[in-house]
Amino acid sequence: MRRPRQGLALLVFALLTASGCWAQRDCYGAVVEVAVSLGGQPEEAFYGYPAPFGAALNDTATAQMPLVAAHPATACEPLARATLPGAAALVARGNCSFTEKAKAVQAAGFEAMLLFNNDEECVLMSANRSEAEGLRIMVASLTAEAGAALAALAAAHPAGGGDAAAVALRMPALGAVDWSSLALWLLATSTVAAGALWAGQGHLAGLGRESGTPTAKKGGAGDVPSVTISSRAAVGFVLLASAMLVLLFFFLDKWLAYILVGLFALGAWQACGMVIYSALQQLSSPQWRAAQLRLPGAGLVPVNGVLATAAGATLCAVWAVWHNAPWSWPLQDAMGVCFMLVILKQFFLPNLKVATILLCLAFVYDVWWVFLQPLVTGGESVMVEVATGGASHEQLPMVLRFPHHPLGTNPAFAILGLGDVVLPGLLAVFCRRFDLSNRLPLSRAFFPPCLAGYGCGLLLTYCALWFSWFGDQGQPALLYLVPCTLGTVSALALSRGQVAQLWLNDFEGSNGLGSAQRSSDAGDAGEHGGSRRYSSEADRLESGLERLLSEQRPSPRSSPR
């Protein structure tokens, strides 16, 4: 597989270089609509930002205003009087303040000022109250591309002609519900649940191998998580994450962002292939699962493996080339979900001690880089700056995205870092494996409360964003997720007298059954009988699952190489 991977890497980086920057004609997260008409007939629309001064815009469109290019273009000197009443002036940014431009436009008899930027991004206009005093015109800002297009329309269709260009301004009302946040909540919670259940299935297969059941005979090595996270690894992870964050803050530019995009695409290709292959194996008939192809240089390979590899490569290559396109977010989310599922399947926490070290350090990491670091060092948050791309204007791909109320071709996105899903998700995986190892009934299981705690913690995060808790900056999700997940599991363990069992748990040393659970059951006759009855039911359930898994799992010959 080395040559195909090298070939895909070269293709991805070549296409990234060729694709360049995705030019934006609309402001990011625009809220103002500038509808253009020619001779009274609707033509097209551009989208931008309102100014914090002048007349307020609302959901009702203004009357059609003739479009006139300002002379001089920057409106930093007195303008000639508007020849038509109620006209809108198109003004270039630069040379003087926003309010000076607006006052010059207002003095010339215009009703609105459309300011276009001299950069690819939009400008957020600002002014103090004294500077903006007396301004009554409508003001909006647009991108450089939108300004060039409007200038061309104003020149080709001058005011006063039969097909004169005109504009109408409107600021559509936003809905009461932020569906983007709810969609991310559902996607993240579902990923944690799916990852824990998938890892639990592999753990159950591992228990079957230890007991010599039919699952052990059919299972493959890929059914058991392959990497145990130690205490040192947990500490090293947080320190490495901090170091990488600082390096990206100082050295992130467009080319480094492209390299990170390419690396993410290559890693996601493997993750997507694994997830798609697993799904195909579960959904295919036994005959199809056993089907193989002979490929040059690779020999016999499973058909499902070829399909999964091709599908993953196509998905990741398309996203890598058009990752800045507004429609690329579902591809990025699919890649991110596959990435997280594979991590939750292959990495696991051995006990509550390591989980506490990892999550508490991640809690401090998140709060420091979002809230405390700007207070100590001054300036912007390093984490927020890196997450939004900084000077490179390239948003890094290690996030889930969902568009807010889309207006124009460049909508704003609600984002959630992959770490805000994976780190609490590792605790959920631990709880699921612990429940299976100790055959806990649903009423005493730790996984459902942990999953519910994750959902509540993420909901609290979005409440903090909606109501601007602790300010208007981004919210550190782990500030709410860690107490709601780790706190819930710890409180339950304390109330049930299982803290020591969870804290020092050893899945391998106890052969899948906690020693504290066995001693507790032996010490209480009533619980012993209930546990014995439940164990009998669990044995029957496990036997049924083993038969199901043995029917669906591919033979060794059809496993991917």
Side-chain angles (χ1 to χ4, degrees), residues 240-285:
L240 180 61
S242 296
M244 290 297 298
L245 194 64
V246 173
L247 288 175
L248 289 174
F249 177 76
F250 285 107
F251 299 105
L252 182 61
D253 58 12
K254 198 170 289 292
W255 281 107
L256 179 56
Y258 281 170
I259 292 174
L260 294 176
V261 165
L263 293 176
F264 179 79
L266 291 173
W269 170 43
Q270 184 175 7
C272 291
M274 292 176 64
V275 173
I276 295 172
Y277 177 78
S278 179
L280 289 175
Q281 290 295 94
Q282 294 294 326
L283 298 174
S284 302
S285 64

mmCIF file of all heavy atoms in Angstrom, residues 240-285:
data_model
loop_
_atom_site.group_PDB
_atom_site.id
_atom_site.type_symbol
_atom_site.label_atom_id
_atom_site.label_comp_id
_atom_site.label_asym_id
_atom_site.label_seq_id
_atom_site.Cartn_x
_atom_site.Cartn_y
_atom_site.Cartn_z
ATOM 1 N N LEU A 240 2.294 18.333 24.668
ATOM 2 C CA LEU A 240 2.536 18.406 23.226
ATOM 3 C C LEU A 240 1.488 19.277 22.534
ATOM 4 O O LEU A 240 1.813 20.043 21.625
ATOM 5 C CB LEU A 240 2.535 16.995 22.637
ATOM 6 C CG LEU A 240 2.772 16.891 21.125
ATOM 7 C CD1 LEU A 240 4.139 17.457 20.753
ATOM 8 C CD2 LEU A 240 2.650 15.445 20.661
ATOM 9 N N ALA A 241 0.230 19.160 22.968
ATOM 10 C CA ALA A 241 -0.823 19.980 22.380
ATOM 11 C C ALA A 241 -0.561 21.461 22.620
ATOM 12 O O ALA A 241 -0.766 22.296 21.724
ATOM 13 C CB ALA A 241 -2.179 19.571 22.963
ATOM 14 N N SER A 242 -0.095 21.820 23.809
ATOM 15 C CA SER A 242 0.231 23.217 24.101
ATOM 16 C C SER A 242 1.386 23.702 23.234
ATOM 17 O O SER A 242 1.354 24.821 22.695
ATOM 18 C CB SER A 242 0.577 23.374 25.579
ATOM 19 O OG SER A 242 -0.536 23.088 26.399
ATOM 20 N N ALA A 243 2.421 22.872 23.090
ATOM 21 C CA ALA A 243 3.574 23.252 22.261
ATOM 22 C C ALA A 243 3.157 23.446 20.805
ATOM 23 O O ALA A 243 3.568 24.421 20.154
ATOM 24 C CB ALA A 243 4.661 22.189 22.371
ATOM 25 N N MET A 244 2.346 22.540 20.292
ATOM 26 C CA MET A 244 1.896 22.672 18.906
ATOM 27 C C MET A 244 1.042 23.922 18.719
ATOM 28 O O MET A 244 1.122 24.595 17.688
ATOM 29 C CB MET A 244 1.095 21.431 18.517
ATOM 30 C CG MET A 244 1.924 20.169 18.374
ATOM 31 S SD MET A 244 3.156 20.310 17.047
ATOM 32 C CE MET A 244 2.099 20.537 15.624
ATOM 33 N N LEU A 245 0.222 24.244 19.711
ATOM 34 C CA LEU A 245 -0.631 25.431 19.624
ATOM 35 C C LEU A 245 0.213 26.695 19.524
ATOM 36 O O LEU A 245 -0.056 27.585 18.703
ATOM 37 C CB LEU A 245 -1.551 25.481 20.841
ATOM 38 C CG LEU A 245 -2.730 26.445 20.781
ATOM 39 C CD1 LEU A 245 -3.698 26.036 19.686
ATOM 40 C CD2 LEU A 245 -3.452 26.476 22.118
ATOM 41 N N VAL A 246 1.257 26.775 20.345
ATOM 42 C CA VAL A 246 2.128 27.949 20.314
ATOM 43 C C VAL A 246 2.878 28.027 18.985
ATOM 44 O O VAL A 246 3.001 29.114 18.386
ATOM 45 C CB VAL A 246 3.107 27.901 21.502
ATOM 46 C CG1 VAL A 246 4.133 29.023 21.389
ATOM 47 C CG2 VAL A 246 2.357 28.010 22.813
ATOM 48 N N LEU A 247 3.382 26.910 18.500
ATOM 49 C CA LEU A 247 4.090 26.911 17.217
ATOM 50 C C LEU A 247 3.182 27.360 16.083
ATOM 51 O O LEU A 247 3.582 28.144 15.213
ATOM 52 C CB LEU A 247 4.644 25.508 16.932
ATOM 53 C CG LEU A 247 5.845 25.070 17.792
ATOM 54 C CD1 LEU A 247 6.205 23.621 17.491
ATOM 55 C CD2 LEU A 247 7.048 25.982 17.537
ATOM 56 N N LEU A 248 1.945 26.857 16.065
ATOM 57 C CA LEU A 248 1.011 27.258 15.014
ATOM 58 C C LEU A 248 0.668 28.740 15.118
ATOM 59 O O LEU A 248 0.494 29.417 14.100
ATOM 60 C CB LEU A 248 -0.269 26.413 15.098
ATOM 61 C CG LEU A 248 -0.131 24.954 14.676
ATOM 62 C CD1 LEU A 248 -1.424 24.197 14.938
ATOM 63 C CD2 LEU A 248 0.250 24.842 13.201
ATOM 64 N N PHE A 249 0.586 29.243 16.338
ATOM 65 C CA PHE A 249 0.260 30.662 16.515
ATOM 66 C C PHE A 249 1.338 31.549 15.887
ATOM 67 O O PHE A 249 1.034 32.566 15.259
ATOM 68 C CB PHE A 249 0.112 30.962 18.004
ATOM 69 C CG PHE A 249 -0.148 32.415 18.308
ATOM 70 C CD1 PHE A 249 -1.394 32.968 18.102
ATOM 71 C CD2 PHE A 249 0.874 33.220 18.801
ATOM 72 C CE1 PHE A 249 -1.631 34.311 18.381
ATOM 73 C CE2 PHE A 249 0.644 34.554 19.087
ATOM 74 C CZ PHE A 249 -0.612 35.099 18.876
ATOM 75 N N PHE A 250 2.596 31.175 16.041
ATOM 76 C CA PHE A 250 3.687 32.020 15.546
ATOM 77 C C PHE A 250 4.038 31.752 14.086
ATOM 78 O O PHE A 250 4.509 32.660 13.386
ATOM 79 C CB PHE A 250 4.934 31.833 16.412
ATOM 80 C CG PHE A 250 4.848 32.511 17.748
ATOM 81 C CD1 PHE A 250 4.677 31.778 18.909
ATOM 82 C CD2 PHE A 250 4.918 33.889 17.845
ATOM 83 C CE1 PHE A 250 4.595 32.395 20.148
ATOM 84 C CE2 PHE A 250 4.845 34.532 19.076
ATOM 85 C CZ PHE A 250 4.671 33.779 20.236
ATOM 86 N N PHE A 251 3.830 30.534 13.608
ATOM 87 C CA PHE A 251 4.333 30.179 12.278
ATOM 88 C C PHE A 251 3.249 29.795 11.274
ATOM 89 O O PHE A 251 3.570 29.436 10.141
ATOM 90 C CB PHE A 251 5.329 29.019 12.401
ATOM 91 C CG PHE A 251 6.522 29.342 13.242
ATOM 92 C CD1 PHE A 251 6.657 28.833 14.522
ATOM 93 C CD2 PHE A 251 7.513 30.189 12.759
ATOM 94 C CE1 PHE A 251 7.758 29.132 15.305
ATOM 95 C CE2 PHE A 251 8.616 30.501 13.526
ATOM 96 C CZ PHE A 251 8.748 29.981 14.806
ATOM 97 N N LEU A 252 1.984 29.876 11.672
ATOM 98 C CA LEU A 252 0.927 29.476 10.753
ATOM 99 C C LEU A 252 0.815 30.482 9.612
ATOM 100 O O LEU A 252 0.578 31.670 9.820
ATOM 101 C CB LEU A 252 -0.415 29.371 11.491
ATOM 102 C CG LEU A 252 -1.609 28.922 10.640
ATOM 103 C CD1 LEU A 252 -1.371 27.523 10.078
ATOM 104 C CD2 LEU A 252 -2.894 28.949 11.464
ATOM 105 N N ASP A 253 1.018 30.011 8.394
ATOM 106 C CA ASP A 253 0.777 30.810 7.204
ATOM 107 C C ASP A 253 0.020 29.940 6.208
ATOM 108 O O ASP A 253 -0.376 28.817 6.505
ATOM 109 C CB ASP A 253 2.082 31.338 6.609
ATOM 110 C CG ASP A 253 3.059 30.215 6.244
ATOM 111 O OD1 ASP A 253 2.653 29.032 6.238
ATOM 112 O OD2 ASP A 253 4.240 30.519 5.983
ATOM 113 N N LYS A 254 -0.188 30.468 5.019
ATOM 114 C CA LYS A 254 -1.030 29.761 4.058
ATOM 115 C C LYS A 254 -0.422 28.420 3.645
ATOM 116 O O LYS A 254 -1.122 27.416 3.532
ATOM 117 C CB LYS A 254 -1.262 30.646 2.834
ATOM 118 C CG LYS A 254 -2.451 30.207 1.990
ATOM 119 C CD LYS A 254 -2.777 31.244 0.941
ATOM 120 C CE LYS A 254 -3.375 32.480 1.546
ATOM 121 N NZ LYS A 254 -4.730 32.232 2.118
ATOM 122 N N TRP A 255 0.903 28.366 3.470
ATOM 123 C CA TRP A 255 1.521 27.108 3.028
ATOM 124 C C TRP A 255 1.524 26.068 4.136
ATOM 125 O O TRP A 255 1.292 24.881 3.885
ATOM 126 C CB TRP A 255 2.943 27.366 2.525
ATOM 127 C CG TRP A 255 2.955 27.910 1.135
ATOM 128 C CD1 TRP A 255 3.245 29.184 0.756
ATOM 129 C CD2 TRP A 255 2.613 27.207 -0.050
ATOM 130 N NE1 TRP A 255 3.103 29.318 -0.603
ATOM 131 C CE2 TRP A 255 2.720 28.113 -1.129
ATOM 132 C CE3 TRP A 255 2.220 25.899 -0.328
ATOM 133 C CZ2 TRP A 255 2.454 27.758 -2.441
ATOM 134 C CZ3 TRP A 255 1.961 25.534 -1.648
ATOM 135 C CH2 TRP A 255 2.074 26.459 -2.672
ATOM 136 N N LEU A 256 1.765 26.495 5.372
ATOM 137 C CA LEU A 256 1.688 25.549 6.477
ATOM 138 C C LEU A 256 0.257 25.046 6.648
ATOM 139 O O LEU A 256 0.040 23.866 6.938
ATOM 140 C CB LEU A 256 2.181 26.205 7.767
ATOM 141 C CG LEU A 256 2.145 25.330 9.026
ATOM 142 C CD1 LEU A 256 2.937 24.043 8.809
ATOM 143 C CD2 LEU A 256 2.681 26.095 10.235
ATOM 144 N N ALA A 257 -0.713 25.938 6.440
ATOM 145 C CA ALA A 257 -2.107 25.508 6.512
ATOM 146 C C ALA A 257 -2.407 24.471 5.428
ATOM 147 O O ALA A 257 -3.126 23.489 5.678
ATOM 148 C CB ALA A 257 -3.041 26.711 6.366
ATOM 149 N N TYR A 258 -1.855 24.667 4.218
ATOM 150 C CA TYR A 258 -2.048 23.685 3.155
ATOM 151 C C TYR A 258 -1.432 22.336 3.525
ATOM 152 O O TYR A 258 -2.002 21.279 3.235
ATOM 153 C CB TYR A 258 -1.425 24.190 1.849
ATOM 154 C CG TYR A 258 -2.268 25.214 1.118
ATOM 155 C CD1 TYR A 258 -1.754 25.920 0.028
ATOM 156 C CD2 TYR A 258 -3.566 25.486 1.506
ATOM 157 C CE1 TYR A 258 -2.518 26.861 -0.653
ATOM 158 C CE2 TYR A 258 -4.328 26.420 0.834
ATOM 159 C CZ TYR A 258 -3.807 27.112 -0.237
ATOM 160 O OH TYR A 258 -4.559 28.026 -0.901
ATOM 161 N N ILE A 259 -0.254 22.374 4.151
ATOM 162 C CA ILE A 259 0.382 21.117 4.569
ATOM 163 C C ILE A 259 -0.485 20.400 5.593
ATOM 164 O O ILE A 259 -0.691 19.178 5.513
ATOM 165 C CB ILE A 259 1.786 21.405 5.131
ATOM 166 C CG1 ILE A 259 2.721 21.897 4.010
ATOM 167 C CG2 ILE A 259 2.368 20.156 5.794
ATOM 168 C CD1 ILE A 259 4.080 22.349 4.494
ATOM 169 N N LEU A 260 -1.034 21.134 6.554
ATOM 170 C CA LEU A 260 -1.904 20.522 7.558
ATOM 171 C C LEU A 260 -3.172 19.967 6.928
ATOM 172 O O LEU A 260 -3.666 18.905 7.323
ATOM 173 C CB LEU A 260 -2.247 21.558 8.635
ATOM 174 C CG LEU A 260 -1.074 22.025 9.500
ATOM 175 C CD1 LEU A 260 -1.526 23.122 10.450
ATOM 176 C CD2 LEU A 260 -0.490 20.855 10.273
ATOM 177 N N VAL A 261 -3.696 20.673 5.947
ATOM 178 C CA VAL A 261 -4.876 20.174 5.232
ATOM 179 C C VAL A 261 -4.548 18.868 4.520
ATOM 180 O O VAL A 261 -5.324 17.901 4.552
ATOM 181 C CB VAL A 261 -5.389 21.236 4.237
ATOM 182 C CG1 VAL A 261 -6.369 20.625 3.241
ATOM 183 C CG2 VAL A 261 -6.056 22.372 4.989
ATOM 184 N N GLY A 262 -3.374 18.819 3.865
ATOM 185 C CA GLY A 262 -2.981 17.593 3.181
ATOM 186 C C GLY A 262 -2.762 16.434 4.135
ATOM 187 O O GLY A 262 -3.187 15.302 3.872
ATOM 188 N N LEU A 263 -2.113 16.703 5.268
ATOM 189 C CA LEU A 263 -1.897 15.645 6.257
ATOM 190 C C LEU A 263 -3.217 15.155 6.840
ATOM 191 O O LEU A 263 -3.406 13.952 7.067
ATOM 192 C CB LEU A 263 -0.985 16.158 7.374
ATOM 193 C CG LEU A 263 0.469 16.465 6.973
ATOM 194 C CD1 LEU A 263 1.229 17.066 8.142
ATOM 195 C CD2 LEU A 263 1.167 15.201 6.459
ATOM 196 N N PHE A 264 -4.126 16.077 7.094
ATOM 197 C CA PHE A 264 -5.443 15.679 7.600
ATOM 198 C C PHE A 264 -6.171 14.803 6.580
ATOM 199 O O PHE A 264 -6.811 13.811 6.938
ATOM 200 C CB PHE A 264 -6.267 16.926 7.916
ATOM 201 C CG PHE A 264 -7.654 16.626 8.421
ATOM 202 C CD1 PHE A 264 -7.860 16.250 9.743
ATOM 203 C CD2 PHE A 264 -8.753 16.721 7.583
ATOM 204 C CE1 PHE A 264 -9.142 15.978 10.210
ATOM 205 C CE2 PHE A 264 -10.028 16.451 8.039
ATOM 206 C CZ PHE A 264 -10.220 16.070 9.360
ATOM 207 N N ALA A 265 -6.065 15.172 5.301
ATOM 208 C CA ALA A 265 -6.731 14.384 4.259
ATOM 209 C C ALA A 265 -6.139 12.975 4.183
ATOM 210 O O ALA A 265 -6.880 11.994 4.024
ATOM 211 C CB ALA A 265 -6.601 15.090 2.910
ATOM 212 N N LEU A 266 -4.819 12.856 4.291
ATOM 213 C CA LEU A 266 -4.191 11.538 4.236
ATOM 214 C C LEU A 266 -4.580 10.680 5.434
ATOM 215 O O LEU A 266 -4.871 9.490 5.299
ATOM 216 C CB LEU A 266 -2.667 11.694 4.165
ATOM 217 C CG LEU A 266 -2.109 12.280 2.862
ATOM 218 C CD1 LEU A 266 -0.621 12.526 2.995
ATOM 219 C CD2 LEU A 266 -2.396 11.350 1.696
ATOM 220 N N GLY A 267 -4.574 11.281 6.625
ATOM 221 C CA GLY A 267 -4.977 10.523 7.801
ATOM 222 C C GLY A 267 -6.441 10.137 7.758
ATOM 223 O O GLY A 267 -6.815 9.014 8.136
ATOM 224 N N ALA A 268 -7.275 11.066 7.311
ATOM 225 C CA ALA A 268 -8.709 10.771 7.232
ATOM 226 C C ALA A 268 -8.992 9.706 6.184
ATOM 227 O O ALA A 268 -9.979 8.965 6.312
ATOM 228 C CB ALA A 268 -9.483 12.048 6.915
ATOM 229 N N TRP A 269 -8.153 9.616 5.146
ATOM 230 C CA TRP A 269 -8.359 8.574 4.131
ATOM 231 C C TRP A 269 -8.298 7.198 4.778
ATOM 232 O O TRP A 269 -9.152 6.338 4.525
ATOM 233 C CB TRP A 269 -7.302 8.724 3.035
ATOM 234 C CG TRP A 269 -7.256 7.595 2.059
ATOM 235 C CD1 TRP A 269 -8.320 6.967 1.477
ATOM 236 C CD2 TRP A 269 -6.085 6.952 1.544
ATOM 237 N NE1 TRP A 269 -7.892 5.979 0.626
ATOM 238 C CE2 TRP A 269 -6.524 5.948 0.647
ATOM 239 C CE3 TRP A 269 -4.725 7.127 1.739
ATOM 240 C CZ2 TRP A 269 -5.635 5.126 -0.034
ATOM 241 C CZ3 TRP A 269 -3.843 6.323 1.044
ATOM 242 C CH2 TRP A 269 -4.301 5.331 0.180
ATOM 243 N N GLN A 270 -7.310 6.966 5.601
ATOM 244 C CA GLN A 270 -7.194 5.676 6.269
ATOM 245 C C GLN A 270 -8.358 5.448 7.228
ATOM 246 O O GLN A 270 -8.925 4.352 7.286
ATOM 247 C CB GLN A 270 -5.867 5.597 7.025
ATOM 248 C CG GLN A 270 -5.625 4.236 7.682
ATOM 249 C CD GLN A 270 -4.250 4.151 8.317
ATOM 250 O OE1 GLN A 270 -3.532 5.134 8.375
ATOM 251 N NE2 GLN A 270 -3.881 2.980 8.791
ATOM 252 N N ALA A 271 -8.731 6.492 7.993
ATOM 253 C CA ALA A 271 -9.832 6.342 8.939
ATOM 254 C C ALA A 271 -11.144 6.075 8.218
ATOM 255 O O ALA A 271 -11.927 5.202 8.627
ATOM 256 C CB ALA A 271 -9.935 7.594 9.801
ATOM 257 N N CYS A 272 -11.400 6.820 7.148
ATOM 258 C CA CYS A 272 -12.634 6.609 6.389
ATOM 259 C C CYS A 272 -12.668 5.205 5.793
ATOM 260 O O CYS A 272 -13.722 4.550 5.777
ATOM 261 C CB CYS A 272 -12.763 7.650 5.280
ATOM 262 S SG CYS A 272 -13.068 9.333 5.877
ATOM 263 N N GLY A 273 -11.523 4.747 5.296
ATOM 264 C CA GLY A 273 -11.468 3.394 4.750
ATOM 265 C C GLY A 273 -11.802 2.341 5.794
ATOM 266 O O GLY A 273 -12.540 1.386 5.523
ATOM 267 N N MET A 274 -11.280 2.513 7.010
ATOM 268 C CA MET A 274 -11.559 1.547 8.074
ATOM 269 C C MET A 274 -13.036 1.529 8.448
ATOM 270 O O MET A 274 -13.645 0.466 8.620
ATOM 271 C CB MET A 274 -10.705 1.876 9.304
ATOM 272 C CG MET A 274 -9.220 1.659 9.102
ATOM 273 S SD MET A 274 -8.243 2.181 10.549
ATOM 274 C CE MET A 274 -8.858 1.028 11.785
ATOM 275 N N VAL A 275 -13.627 2.710 8.578
ATOM 276 C CA VAL A 275 -15.035 2.785 8.975
ATOM 277 C C VAL A 275 -15.936 2.251 7.866
ATOM 278 O O VAL A 275 -16.884 1.484 8.124
ATOM 279 C CB VAL A 275 -15.404 4.241 9.328
ATOM 280 C CG1 VAL A 275 -16.903 4.369 9.574
ATOM 281 C CG2 VAL A 275 -14.627 4.698 10.557
ATOM 282 N N ILE A 276 -15.651 2.633 6.626
ATOM 283 C CA ILE A 276 -16.481 2.162 5.510
ATOM 284 C C ILE A 276 -16.333 0.652 5.342
ATOM 285 O O ILE A 276 -17.316 -0.065 5.103
ATOM 286 C CB ILE A 276 -16.093 2.901 4.211
ATOM 287 C CG1 ILE A 276 -16.415 4.386 4.331
ATOM 288 C CG2 ILE A 276 -16.834 2.305 3.013
ATOM 289 C CD1 ILE A 276 -15.896 5.219 3.171
ATOM 290 N N TYR A 277 -15.110 0.143 5.501
ATOM 291 C CA TYR A 277 -14.903 -1.296 5.382
ATOM 292 C C TYR A 277 -15.669 -2.050 6.463
ATOM 293 O O TYR A 277 -16.309 -3.068 6.191
ATOM 294 C CB TYR A 277 -13.410 -1.616 5.496
ATOM 295 C CG TYR A 277 -13.096 -3.098 5.468
ATOM 296 C CD1 TYR A 277 -13.091 -3.794 4.264
ATOM 297 C CD2 TYR A 277 -12.812 -3.780 6.643
ATOM 298 C CE1 TYR A 277 -12.813 -5.154 4.233
ATOM 299 C CE2 TYR A 277 -12.530 -5.138 6.620
ATOM 300 C CZ TYR A 277 -12.538 -5.815 5.412
ATOM 301 O OH TYR A 277 -12.269 -7.163 5.394
ATOM 302 N N SER A 278 -15.613 -1.539 7.682
ATOM 303 C CA SER A 278 -16.343 -2.202 8.766
ATOM 304 C C SER A 278 -17.842 -2.205 8.490
ATOM 305 O O SER A 278 -18.525 -3.207 8.714
ATOM 306 C CB SER A 278 -16.050 -1.491 10.092
ATOM 307 O OG SER A 278 -16.759 -2.081 11.156
ATOM 308 N N ALA A 279 -18.365 -1.069 7.971
ATOM 309 C CA ALA A 279 -19.794 -1.007 7.661
ATOM 310 C C ALA A 279 -20.162 -1.972 6.539
ATOM 311 O O ALA A 279 -21.190 -2.659 6.600
ATOM 312 C CB ALA A 279 -20.175 0.427 7.281
ATOM 313 N N LEU A 280 -19.320 -2.036 5.502
ATOM 314 C CA LEU A 280 -19.601 -2.954 4.397
ATOM 315 C C LEU A 280 -19.582 -4.408 4.858
ATOM 316 O O LEU A 280 -20.404 -5.225 4.439
ATOM 317 C CB LEU A 280 -18.583 -2.742 3.273
ATOM 318 C CG LEU A 280 -18.698 -1.438 2.476
ATOM 319 C CD1 LEU A 280 -17.547 -1.319 1.475
ATOM 320 C CD2 LEU A 280 -20.041 -1.376 1.736
ATOM 321 N N GLN A 281 -18.638 -4.733 5.728
ATOM 322 C CA GLN A 281 -18.560 -6.101 6.234
ATOM 323 C C GLN A 281 -19.794 -6.480 7.045
ATOM 324 O O GLN A 281 -20.266 -7.619 6.998
ATOM 325 C CB GLN A 281 -17.307 -6.264 7.096
ATOM 326 C CG GLN A 281 -15.999 -6.226 6.306
ATOM 327 C CD GLN A 281 -15.863 -7.405 5.348
ATOM 328 O OE1 GLN A 281 -16.209 -7.307 4.170
ATOM 329 N NE2 GLN A 281 -15.377 -8.527 5.856
ATOM 330 N N GLN A 282 -20.318 -5.538 7.781
ATOM 331 C CA GLN A 282 -21.507 -5.819 8.584
ATOM 332 C C GLN A 282 -22.760 -5.929 7.723
ATOM 333 O O GLN A 282 -23.671 -6.693 8.034
ATOM 334 C CB GLN A 282 -21.707 -4.713 9.634
ATOM 335 C CG GLN A 282 -20.623 -4.662 10.696
ATOM 336 C CD GLN A 282 -20.616 -5.899 11.586
ATOM 337 O OE1 GLN A 282 -21.664 -6.467 11.871
ATOM 338 N NE2 GLN A 282 -19.439 -6.309 12.018
ATOM 339 N N LEU A 283 -22.825 -5.160 6.630
ATOM 340 C CA LEU A 283 -24.039 -5.107 5.812
ATOM 341 C C LEU A 283 -24.043 -6.112 4.672
ATOM 342 O O LEU A 283 -25.104 -6.415 4.116
ATOM 343 C CB LEU A 283 -24.211 -3.699 5.231
ATOM 344 C CG LEU A 283 -24.401 -2.561 6.255
ATOM 345 C CD1 LEU A 283 -24.417 -1.212 5.563
ATOM 346 C CD2 LEU A 283 -25.689 -2.762 7.051
ATOM 347 N N SER A 284 -22.876 -6.649 4.319
ATOM 348 C CA SER A 284 -22.784 -7.543 3.161
ATOM 349 C C SER A 284 -23.198 -8.963 3.527
ATOM 350 O O SER A 284 -23.187 -9.366 4.696
ATOM 351 C CB SER A 284 -21.356 -7.552 2.611
ATOM 352 O OG SER A 284 -20.941 -6.255 2.255
ATOM 353 N N SER A 285 -23.529 -9.712 2.491
ATOM 354 C CA SER A 285 -23.824 -11.131 2.665
ATOM 355 C C SER A 285 -22.513 -11.898 2.874
ATOM 356 O O SER A 285 -21.435 -11.395 2.533
ATOM 357 C CB SER A 285 -24.534 -11.673 1.425
ATOM 358 O OG SER A 285 -23.682 -11.593 0.286
#
